[in-house]
mmCIF file of all heavy atoms in Angstrom:
data_model
loop_
_atom_site.group_PDB
_atom_site.id
_atom_site.type_symbol
_atom_site.label_atom_id
_atom_site.label_comp_id
_atom_site.label_asym_id
_atom_site.label_seq_id
_atom_site.Cartn_x
_atom_site.Cartn_y
_atom_site.Cartn_z
ATOM 1 N N HIS A 400 -15.903 -14.670 -27.881
ATOM 2 C CA HIS A 400 -16.350 -14.309 -29.271
ATOM 3 C C HIS A 400 -15.382 -14.855 -30.439
ATOM 4 O O HIS A 400 -14.361 -14.355 -30.400
ATOM 5 C CB HIS A 400 -16.536 -12.789 -29.331
ATOM 6 C CG HIS A 400 -17.317 -12.399 -30.552
ATOM 7 N ND1 HIS A 400 -16.784 -11.464 -31.537
ATOM 8 C CD2 HIS A 400 -18.465 -12.754 -31.083
ATOM 9 C CE1 HIS A 400 -17.651 -11.411 -32.524
ATOM 10 N NE2 HIS A 400 -18.668 -12.093 -32.328
ATOM 11 N N ASN A 401 -15.848 -15.806 -31.027
ATOM 12 C CA ASN A 401 -15.002 -16.583 -31.917
ATOM 13 C C ASN A 401 -14.404 -15.713 -33.047
ATOM 14 O O ASN A 401 -13.252 -15.897 -33.328
ATOM 15 C CB ASN A 401 -15.764 -17.772 -32.529
ATOM 16 C CG ASN A 401 -16.294 -18.744 -31.495
ATOM 17 O OD1 ASN A 401 -15.529 -18.934 -30.442
ATOM 18 N ND2 ASN A 401 -17.306 -19.422 -31.611
ATOM 19 N N MET A 402 -15.126 -14.826 -33.592
ATOM 20 C CA MET A 402 -14.815 -14.056 -34.722
ATOM 21 C C MET A 402 -13.623 -13.206 -34.339
ATOM 22 O O MET A 402 -12.659 -13.023 -35.235
ATOM 23 C CB MET A 402 -15.905 -13.249 -35.436
ATOM 24 C CG MET A 402 -16.648 -13.966 -36.394
ATOM 25 S SD MET A 402 -18.038 -14.959 -35.742
ATOM 26 C CE MET A 402 -19.377 -13.842 -35.478
ATOM 27 N N THR A 403 -13.585 -12.577 -33.189
ATOM 28 C CA THR A 403 -12.500 -11.692 -32.741
ATOM 29 C C THR A 403 -11.568 -12.388 -31.788
ATOM 30 O O THR A 403 -10.640 -11.724 -31.393
ATOM 31 C CB THR A 403 -13.137 -10.534 -32.083
ATOM 32 O OG1 THR A 403 -13.829 -10.948 -30.921
ATOM 33 C CG2 THR A 403 -14.047 -9.697 -33.098
ATOM 34 N N ASN A 404 -11.911 -13.687 -31.376
ATOM 35 C CA ASN A 404 -11.132 -14.378 -30.411
ATOM 36 C C ASN A 404 -10.991 -13.665 -29.242
ATOM 37 O O ASN A 404 -9.930 -13.818 -28.502
ATOM 38 C CB ASN A 404 -9.659 -14.667 -31.073
ATOM 39 C CG ASN A 404 -9.139 -15.826 -30.335
ATOM 40 O OD1 ASN A 404 -9.712 -16.849 -29.892
ATOM 41 N ND2 ASN A 404 -7.680 -15.921 -30.245
ATOM 42 N N THR A 405 -11.950 -12.901 -28.761
ATOM 43 C CA THR A 405 -12.001 -12.199 -27.467
ATOM 44 C C THR A 405 -12.579 -12.873 -26.382
ATOM 45 O O THR A 405 -13.783 -13.285 -26.578
ATOM 46 C CB THR A 405 -12.749 -10.870 -27.616
ATOM 47 O OG1 THR A 405 -12.071 -10.073 -28.829
ATOM 48 C CG2 THR A 405 -12.620 -9.862 -26.449
ATOM 49 N N VAL A 406 -12.041 -13.038 -25.198
ATOM 50 C CA VAL A 406 -12.607 -13.573 -24.061
ATOM 51 C C VAL A 406 -13.425 -12.520 -23.349
ATOM 52 O O VAL A 406 -12.879 -11.448 -22.971
ATOM 53 C CB VAL A 406 -11.575 -14.168 -23.072
ATOM 54 C CG1 VAL A 406 -12.149 -14.597 -21.783
ATOM 55 C CG2 VAL A 406 -10.771 -15.334 -23.722
ATOM 56 N N VAL A 407 -14.690 -12.716 -23.147
ATOM 57 C CA VAL A 407 -15.631 -11.787 -22.572
ATOM 58 C C VAL A 407 -15.938 -12.013 -21.136
ATOM 59 O O VAL A 407 -16.557 -11.200 -20.402
ATOM 60 C CB VAL A 407 -16.937 -11.580 -23.452
ATOM 61 C CG1 VAL A 407 -16.550 -11.123 -24.854
ATOM 62 C CG2 VAL A 407 -17.700 -12.914 -23.455
ATOM 63 N N CYS A 408 -15.680 -13.187 -20.665
ATOM 64 C CA CYS A 408 -16.108 -13.618 -19.346
ATOM 65 C C CYS A 408 -15.169 -14.841 -18.950
ATOM 66 O O CYS A 408 -15.017 -15.772 -19.845
ATOM 67 C CB CYS A 408 -17.470 -14.008 -19.155
ATOM 68 S SG CYS A 408 -18.012 -14.514 -17.506
ATOM 69 N N ARG A 409 -14.600 -14.756 -17.753
ATOM 70 C CA ARG A 409 -13.972 -15.955 -17.093
ATOM 71 C C ARG A 409 -14.570 -16.358 -15.883
ATOM 72 O O ARG A 409 -15.186 -15.650 -15.235
ATOM 73 C CB ARG A 409 -12.455 -15.614 -16.807
ATOM 74 C CG ARG A 409 -11.664 -15.268 -18.099
ATOM 75 C CD ARG A 409 -10.231 -15.067 -17.741
ATOM 76 N NE ARG A 409 -9.488 -14.509 -18.839
ATOM 77 C CZ ARG A 409 -8.919 -15.127 -19.839
ATOM 78 N NH1 ARG A 409 -9.053 -16.484 -19.805
ATOM 79 N NH2 ARG A 409 -8.255 -14.538 -20.767
ATOM 80 N N VAL A 410 -14.655 -17.641 -15.618
ATOM 81 C CA VAL A 410 -15.206 -18.274 -14.406
ATOM 82 C C VAL A 410 -14.237 -19.242 -13.665
ATOM 83 O O VAL A 410 -13.563 -19.895 -14.384
ATOM 84 C CB VAL A 410 -16.612 -18.860 -14.714
ATOM 85 C CG1 VAL A 410 -16.412 -20.042 -15.771
ATOM 86 C CG2 VAL A 410 -17.305 -19.376 -13.448
ATOM 87 N N GLN A 411 -14.368 -19.251 -12.360
ATOM 88 C CA GLN A 411 -13.508 -20.129 -11.570
ATOM 89 C C GLN A 411 -14.206 -20.422 -10.378
ATOM 90 O O GLN A 411 -15.035 -19.578 -9.831
ATOM 91 C CB GLN A 411 -12.141 -19.692 -11.389
ATOM 92 C CG GLN A 411 -11.863 -18.500 -10.469
ATOM 93 C CD GLN A 411 -10.553 -18.049 -10.365
ATOM 94 O OE1 GLN A 411 -9.616 -18.961 -10.593
ATOM 95 N NE2 GLN A 411 -10.266 -16.880 -9.846
ATOM 96 N N GLY A 412 -13.898 -21.521 -9.672
ATOM 97 C CA GLY A 412 -14.633 -21.727 -8.355
ATOM 98 C C GLY A 412 -14.934 -23.193 -8.249
ATOM 99 O O GLY A 412 -14.233 -24.103 -8.771
ATOM 100 N N GLU A 413 -15.852 -23.513 -7.423
ATOM 101 C CA GLU A 413 -16.343 -24.930 -7.142
ATOM 102 C C GLU A 413 -17.859 -25.005 -7.608
ATOM 103 O O GLU A 413 -18.611 -24.240 -7.239
ATOM 104 C CB GLU A 413 -16.135 -25.281 -5.650
ATOM 105 C CG GLU A 413 -14.747 -25.529 -5.250
ATOM 106 C CD GLU A 413 -14.111 -24.176 -4.941
ATOM 107 O OE1 GLU A 413 -14.702 -23.402 -4.130
ATOM 108 O OE2 GLU A 413 -13.009 -23.918 -5.318
ATOM 109 N N TRP A 414 -18.144 -26.012 -8.407
ATOM 110 C CA TRP A 414 -19.621 -26.211 -9.011
ATOM 111 C C TRP A 414 -20.606 -26.393 -7.844
ATOM 112 O O TRP A 414 -21.756 -26.245 -8.040
ATOM 113 C CB TRP A 414 -19.537 -27.298 -10.016
ATOM 114 C CG TRP A 414 -19.271 -28.658 -9.542
ATOM 115 C CD1 TRP A 414 -17.895 -29.202 -9.702
ATOM 116 C CD2 TRP A 414 -19.950 -29.603 -8.924
ATOM 117 N NE1 TRP A 414 -18.024 -30.553 -9.090
ATOM 118 C CE2 TRP A 414 -19.183 -30.790 -8.666
ATOM 119 C CE3 TRP A 414 -21.279 -29.704 -8.587
ATOM 120 C CZ2 TRP A 414 -19.716 -31.919 -8.162
ATOM 121 C CZ3 TRP A 414 -21.906 -30.823 -7.928
ATOM 122 C CH2 TRP A 414 -20.993 -31.948 -7.582
ATOM 123 N N ASN A 415 -20.153 -26.781 -6.637
ATOM 124 C CA ASN A 415 -21.077 -27.053 -5.593
ATOM 125 C C ASN A 415 -20.955 -26.030 -4.399
ATOM 126 O O ASN A 415 -21.402 -26.303 -3.364
ATOM 127 C CB ASN A 415 -21.058 -28.445 -5.064
ATOM 128 C CG ASN A 415 -19.596 -28.742 -4.370
ATOM 129 O OD1 ASN A 415 -18.712 -28.058 -4.466
ATOM 130 N ND2 ASN A 415 -19.491 -29.919 -3.656
ATOM 131 N N SER A 416 -20.140 -24.971 -4.587
ATOM 132 C CA SER A 416 -19.917 -24.050 -3.582
ATOM 133 C C SER A 416 -19.979 -22.563 -3.960
ATOM 134 O O SER A 416 -21.000 -22.093 -4.249
ATOM 135 C CB SER A 416 -18.483 -24.363 -2.933
ATOM 136 O OG SER A 416 -18.213 -23.401 -1.764
ATOM 137 N N VAL A 417 -18.863 -21.959 -4.300
ATOM 138 C CA VAL A 417 -18.776 -20.546 -4.691
ATOM 139 C C VAL A 417 -18.087 -20.520 -6.166
ATOM 140 O O VAL A 417 -17.111 -21.079 -6.401
ATOM 141 C CB VAL A 417 -17.972 -19.751 -3.637
ATOM 142 C CG1 VAL A 417 -17.892 -18.255 -4.151
ATOM 143 C CG2 VAL A 417 -18.623 -19.889 -2.310
ATOM 144 N N LEU A 418 -18.769 -19.656 -6.974
ATOM 145 C CA LEU A 418 -18.254 -19.469 -8.304
ATOM 146 C C LEU A 418 -17.954 -17.997 -8.461
ATOM 147 O O LEU A 418 -18.722 -17.116 -7.961
ATOM 148 C CB LEU A 418 -19.404 -19.775 -9.358
ATOM 149 C CG LEU A 418 -19.749 -21.311 -9.487
ATOM 150 C CD1 LEU A 418 -21.071 -21.534 -10.318
ATOM 151 C CD2 LEU A 418 -18.498 -22.110 -9.895
ATOM 152 N N GLU A 419 -16.899 -17.717 -9.185
ATOM 153 C CA GLU A 419 -16.488 -16.345 -9.334
ATOM 154 C C GLU A 419 -16.545 -15.916 -10.931
ATOM 155 O O GLU A 419 -15.847 -16.698 -11.657
ATOM 156 C CB GLU A 419 -15.089 -16.001 -8.791
ATOM 157 C CG GLU A 419 -14.540 -14.755 -9.142
ATOM 158 C CD GLU A 419 -12.930 -14.547 -8.756
ATOM 159 O OE1 GLU A 419 -12.690 -14.889 -7.594
ATOM 160 O OE2 GLU A 419 -12.250 -14.149 -9.694
ATOM 161 N N PHE A 420 -17.259 -14.937 -11.324
ATOM 162 C CA PHE A 420 -17.482 -14.521 -12.705
ATOM 163 C C PHE A 420 -16.644 -13.238 -12.886
ATOM 164 O O PHE A 420 -16.959 -12.232 -12.080
ATOM 165 C CB PHE A 420 -18.883 -14.467 -13.147
ATOM 166 C CG PHE A 420 -19.604 -15.734 -12.995
ATOM 167 C CD1 PHE A 420 -20.305 -16.220 -12.034
ATOM 168 C CD2 PHE A 420 -19.746 -16.551 -14.205
ATOM 169 C CE1 PHE A 420 -20.932 -17.456 -11.956
ATOM 170 C CE2 PHE A 420 -20.434 -17.695 -14.200
ATOM 171 C CZ PHE A 420 -20.977 -18.090 -13.151
ATOM 172 N N THR A 421 -15.770 -13.303 -13.795
ATOM 173 C CA THR A 421 -15.074 -11.936 -14.076
ATOM 174 C C THR A 421 -15.339 -11.491 -15.484
ATOM 175 O O THR A 421 -15.130 -12.239 -16.423
ATOM 176 C CB THR A 421 -13.406 -12.059 -13.902
ATOM 177 O OG1 THR A 421 -13.190 -12.576 -12.562
ATOM 178 C CG2 THR A 421 -12.955 -10.769 -14.061
ATOM 179 N N TYR A 422 -15.975 -10.343 -15.708
ATOM 180 C CA TYR A 422 -16.468 -9.833 -16.932
ATOM 181 C C TYR A 422 -15.458 -8.901 -17.667
ATOM 182 O O TYR A 422 -14.521 -8.408 -17.037
ATOM 183 C CB TYR A 422 -17.801 -9.140 -16.720
ATOM 184 C CG TYR A 422 -18.853 -10.020 -15.984
ATOM 185 C CD1 TYR A 422 -18.987 -9.867 -14.804
ATOM 186 C CD2 TYR A 422 -19.472 -10.913 -16.727
ATOM 187 C CE1 TYR A 422 -19.819 -10.708 -14.007
ATOM 188 C CE2 TYR A 422 -20.420 -11.806 -16.077
ATOM 189 C CZ TYR A 422 -20.649 -11.643 -14.671
ATOM 190 O OH TYR A 422 -21.555 -12.527 -14.075
ATOM 191 N N SER A 423 -15.579 -8.702 -18.835
ATOM 192 C CA SER A 423 -14.657 -7.894 -19.784
ATOM 193 C C SER A 423 -14.716 -6.544 -19.312
ATOM 194 O O SER A 423 -13.566 -5.866 -19.651
ATOM 195 C CB SER A 423 -15.024 -8.048 -21.212
ATOM 196 O OG SER A 423 -16.497 -7.559 -21.327
ATOM 197 N N ASN A 424 -15.630 -6.058 -18.651
ATOM 198 C CA ASN A 424 -15.595 -4.559 -18.106
ATOM 199 C C ASN A 424 -14.951 -4.371 -16.735
ATOM 200 O O ASN A 424 -14.919 -3.359 -16.179
ATOM 201 C CB ASN A 424 -17.073 -3.984 -18.039
ATOM 202 C CG ASN A 424 -17.910 -4.845 -17.062
ATOM 203 O OD1 ASN A 424 -17.468 -5.729 -16.356
ATOM 204 N ND2 ASN A 424 -19.252 -4.499 -16.928
ATOM 205 N N GLY A 425 -14.302 -5.605 -16.305
ATOM 206 C CA GLY A 425 -13.579 -5.537 -15.035
ATOM 207 C C GLY A 425 -14.411 -5.758 -13.850
ATOM 208 O O GLY A 425 -13.757 -6.046 -12.797
ATOM 209 N N GLU A 426 -15.751 -5.929 -13.934
ATOM 210 C CA GLU A 426 -16.497 -6.285 -12.794
ATOM 211 C C GLU A 426 -16.398 -7.783 -12.378
ATOM 212 O O GLU A 426 -16.144 -8.657 -13.316
ATOM 213 C CB GLU A 426 -18.009 -5.890 -13.007
ATOM 214 C CG GLU A 426 -18.271 -4.417 -13.095
ATOM 215 C CD GLU A 426 -19.730 -4.154 -13.415
ATOM 216 O OE1 GLU A 426 -20.566 -5.038 -12.930
ATOM 217 O OE2 GLU A 426 -20.059 -3.096 -13.831
ATOM 218 N N THR A 427 -16.646 -8.151 -11.205
ATOM 219 C CA THR A 427 -16.558 -9.483 -10.760
ATOM 220 C C THR A 427 -17.813 -9.760 -9.854
ATOM 221 O O THR A 427 -18.211 -8.998 -9.025
ATOM 222 C CB THR A 427 -15.250 -9.677 -9.891
ATOM 223 O OG1 THR A 427 -14.043 -9.547 -10.620
ATOM 224 C CG2 THR A 427 -15.266 -11.021 -9.291
ATOM 225 N N LYS A 428 -18.320 -10.967 -10.101
ATOM 226 C CA LYS A 428 -19.531 -11.338 -9.228
ATOM 227 C C LYS A 428 -19.253 -12.649 -8.707
ATOM 228 O O LYS A 428 -18.736 -13.638 -9.320
ATOM 229 C CB LYS A 428 -20.686 -11.448 -10.143
ATOM 230 C CG LYS A 428 -22.032 -11.881 -9.395
ATOM 231 C CD LYS A 428 -23.269 -11.852 -10.290
ATOM 232 C CE LYS A 428 -23.176 -12.953 -11.220
ATOM 233 N NZ LYS A 428 -24.439 -13.122 -12.051
ATOM 234 N N TYR A 429 -19.625 -12.782 -7.300
ATOM 235 C CA TYR A 429 -19.573 -14.082 -6.724
ATOM 236 C C TYR A 429 -20.880 -14.744 -6.482
ATOM 237 O O TYR A 429 -21.876 -14.059 -6.212
ATOM 238 C CB TYR A 429 -18.752 -13.906 -5.242
ATOM 239 C CG TYR A 429 -17.385 -13.596 -5.457
ATOM 240 C CD1 TYR A 429 -17.058 -12.108 -5.398
ATOM 241 C CD2 TYR A 429 -16.339 -14.437 -5.609
ATOM 242 C CE1 TYR A 429 -15.760 -11.788 -5.637
ATOM 243 C CE2 TYR A 429 -15.083 -14.089 -5.602
ATOM 244 C CZ TYR A 429 -14.746 -12.688 -5.732
ATOM 245 O OH TYR A 429 -13.407 -12.206 -5.820
ATOM 246 N N VAL A 430 -21.045 -16.042 -6.777
ATOM 247 C CA VAL A 430 -22.345 -16.760 -6.547
ATOM 248 C C VAL A 430 -22.085 -17.929 -5.660
ATOM 249 O O VAL A 430 -21.332 -18.821 -5.881
ATOM 250 C CB VAL A 430 -22.878 -17.434 -7.933
ATOM 251 C CG1 VAL A 430 -24.059 -18.150 -7.738
ATOM 252 C CG2 VAL A 430 -23.118 -16.247 -8.914
ATOM 253 N N ASP A 431 -22.759 -17.768 -4.471
ATOM 254 C CA ASP A 431 -22.621 -18.784 -3.470
ATOM 255 C C ASP A 431 -23.829 -19.783 -3.566
ATOM 256 O O ASP A 431 -24.930 -19.445 -3.232
ATOM 257 C CB ASP A 431 -22.688 -18.201 -2.051
ATOM 258 C CG ASP A 431 -22.285 -19.218 -0.957
ATOM 259 O OD1 ASP A 431 -22.428 -20.373 -1.250
ATOM 260 O OD2 ASP A 431 -22.012 -18.798 0.192
ATOM 261 N N LEU A 432 -23.586 -20.915 -4.184
ATOM 262 C CA LEU A 432 -24.587 -21.852 -4.499
ATOM 263 C C LEU A 432 -25.289 -22.347 -3.243
ATOM 264 O O LEU A 432 -26.476 -22.801 -3.271
ATOM 265 C CB LEU A 432 -24.129 -23.097 -5.348
ATOM 266 C CG LEU A 432 -23.829 -22.759 -6.875
ATOM 267 C CD1 LEU A 432 -22.602 -21.984 -7.037
ATOM 268 C CD2 LEU A 432 -23.928 -24.031 -7.656
ATOM 269 N N THR A 433 -24.501 -22.430 -2.195
ATOM 270 C CA THR A 433 -25.021 -23.008 -0.919
ATOM 271 C C THR A 433 -26.228 -22.048 -0.370
ATOM 272 O O THR A 433 -27.019 -22.560 0.598
ATOM 273 C CB THR A 433 -24.002 -23.251 0.170
ATOM 274 O OG1 THR A 433 -23.433 -21.962 0.511
ATOM 275 C CG2 THR A 433 -22.966 -24.171 -0.332
ATOM 276 N N LYS A 434 -26.201 -20.888 -0.760
ATOM 277 C CA LYS A 434 -27.160 -19.846 -0.324
ATOM 278 C C LYS A 434 -28.179 -19.457 -1.313
ATOM 279 O O LYS A 434 -29.111 -18.765 -0.903
ATOM 280 C CB LYS A 434 -26.500 -18.719 0.141
ATOM 281 C CG LYS A 434 -25.456 -18.888 1.355
ATOM 282 C CD LYS A 434 -24.765 -17.389 1.770
ATOM 283 C CE LYS A 434 -23.836 -17.760 2.892
ATOM 284 N NZ LYS A 434 -23.041 -16.487 3.257
ATOM 285 N N MET A 435 -28.102 -20.118 -2.517
ATOM 286 C CA MET A 435 -29.088 -19.754 -3.487
ATOM 287 C C MET A 435 -30.530 -20.501 -3.150
ATOM 288 O O MET A 435 -30.381 -21.703 -2.735
ATOM 289 C CB MET A 435 -28.724 -20.255 -4.895
ATOM 290 C CG MET A 435 -27.610 -19.428 -5.459
ATOM 291 S SD MET A 435 -27.029 -20.002 -7.098
ATOM 292 C CE MET A 435 -28.580 -19.630 -8.018
ATOM 293 N N SER A 436 -31.559 -19.845 -3.324
ATOM 294 C CA SER A 436 -32.960 -20.444 -3.027
ATOM 295 C C SER A 436 -33.200 -21.372 -4.148
ATOM 296 O O SER A 436 -32.941 -21.128 -5.451
ATOM 297 C CB SER A 436 -33.977 -19.382 -3.013
ATOM 298 O OG SER A 436 -33.968 -18.623 -4.149
ATOM 299 N N VAL A 437 -33.853 -22.525 -3.802
ATOM 300 C CA VAL A 437 -34.158 -23.581 -4.805
ATOM 301 C C VAL A 437 -35.850 -23.430 -4.895
ATOM 302 O O VAL A 437 -36.508 -23.472 -4.004
ATOM 303 C CB VAL A 437 -33.716 -24.974 -4.386
ATOM 304 C CG1 VAL A 437 -34.419 -25.952 -5.324
ATOM 305 C CG2 VAL A 437 -32.171 -25.020 -4.409
#
Side-chain angles (χ1 to χ4, degrees):
H400 186 237
N401 298 326
M402 273 82 85
T403 61
N404 203 32
T405 304
V406 176
V407 298
C408 177
R409 298 184 190 275
V410 60
Q411 64 177 345
E413 291 82 46
W414 59 264
N415 63 349
S416 181
V417 177
L418 295 169
E419 176 189 308
F420 295 86
T421 304
Y422 306 97
S423 56
N424 61 6
E426 293 184 18
T427 299
K428 181 179 74 173
Y429 294 90
V430 177
D431 188 342
L432 283 80
T433 62
K434 296 179 180 178
M435 286 183 66
S436 60
V437 170

